[in-house]
Amino acid sequence: IPSDIRGWVKYASFENNNGNTDLARKIFEDAIESHAVDAVEMLWSYYIDFESNIGSIDNVRDLYKRSIEESNKLSLWKGWILLEVEVADNIDRAREIFGEAELKMENKRDRRKLREFRVVFEQKFGDDASIEEAKSRLPIIAEDGTYIFPEESQDSTSRLIEAADLWEEQME
């Protein structure tokens, strides 16, 4: 099984250009399922582009979901969000995907970038209220360079107050 994605992509393109769209899809699927391809994220990207060019929005959605399950990359989330708003004209679904991405984003830097992207997104597609809401969710950078998200600072304050109350009770 070849590990170089160029061969897989060229083979799929060849079959598609000869009218064998289903075979081209099978080639992409085989490449992904082989788990031997070096740059699997790039392979997903080619496969998504392939389906986008064919105009199969449902297949593109499915590919975004599957690729995110495998790698949870910010670029994939952004692509899916833009698909929903620019191709499917579904701003509400795009916003739902932002929420899903937030829940699955473990890396704070990526979560910050997602929220920054949300601000840009709302500036382009939203209204004043949605822009302000997106801006209010941006993290601040602490003196030590860590990101503090609005919901974390509230949680930290609450935990600190609870700990102080518990300490006070124990002292009595």
Side-chain angles (χ1 to χ4, degrees):
I1 296 176
S3 61
D4 185 359
I5 68 165
R6 291 176 294 186
W8 290 99
V9 172
K10 286 180 181 181
Y11 183 27
S13 296
F14 171 80
E15 292 299 343
N16 187 53
N17 291 338
N18 287 303
N20 299 320
T21 303
D22 289 337
L23 182 55
R25 282 186 180 112
K26 182 174 178 345
I27 292 165
F28 277 114
E29 289 293 334
D30 288 347
I32 289 167
E33 290 173 13
S34 75
H35 300 286
V37 177
D38 289 335
V40 72
E41 289 154 13
M42 190 174 281
L43 180 62
W44 280 110
S45 178
Y46 279 116
Y47 195 6
I48 289 168
D49 288 346
F50 166 80
E51 289 292 352
S52 295
N53 291 333
I54 291 173
S56 179
I57 194 166
D58 289 333
N59 286 354
V60 174
R61 280 185 184 114
D62 182 59
L63 291 174
Y64 273 119
K65 289 175 191 175
R66 289 174 52 207
S67 62
I68 286 168
E69 284 175 16
E70 280 198 23
S71 66
N72 198 30
K73 295 289 183 188
L74 179 61
S75 60
L76 295 168
W77 286 105
K78 285 180 173 182
W80 189 11
I81 289 164
L82 291 174
L83 170 83
E84 292 299 339
V85 74
E86 293 177 344
V87 177
D89 196 29
N90 191 343
I91 194 166
D92 292 331
R93 180 63 185 128
R95 287 181 175 135
E96 288 172 10
I97 295 167
F98 269 112
E100 292 172 31
E102 284 255 354
L103 293 174
K104 294 187 179 182
M105 244 347 108
E106 295 173 9
N107 180 301
K108 283 189 170 194
R109 186 174 40 100
D110 285 346
R111 197 163 34 136
R112 175 189 55 88
K113 287 180 181 180
L114 179 69
R115 289 190 182 184
E116 289 171 349
F117 177 62
R118 176 73 182 259
V119 171
V120 173
F121 172 90
E122 294 298 346
Q123 288 170 336
K124 186 171 182 180
F125 301 107
D127 56 20
D128 290 341
S130 65
I131 294 168
E132 287 309 309
E133 194 274 330
K135 285 181 177 179
S136 74
R137 296 184 44 78
L138 290 172
I140 58 171
I141 301 174
E143 288 182 23
D144 64 356
T146 59
Y147 300 112
I148 301 173
F149 291 84
E151 65 275 12
E152 291 173 342
S153 63
Q154 291 171 355
D155 290 345
S156 298
T157 303
S158 297
R159 284 192 297 254
L160 184 61
I161 291 170
E162 287 173 16
D165 289 343
L166 181 61
W167 179 79
E168 188 176 79
E169 286 175 18
Q170 290 174 349
M171 296 306 290
E172 292 176 355

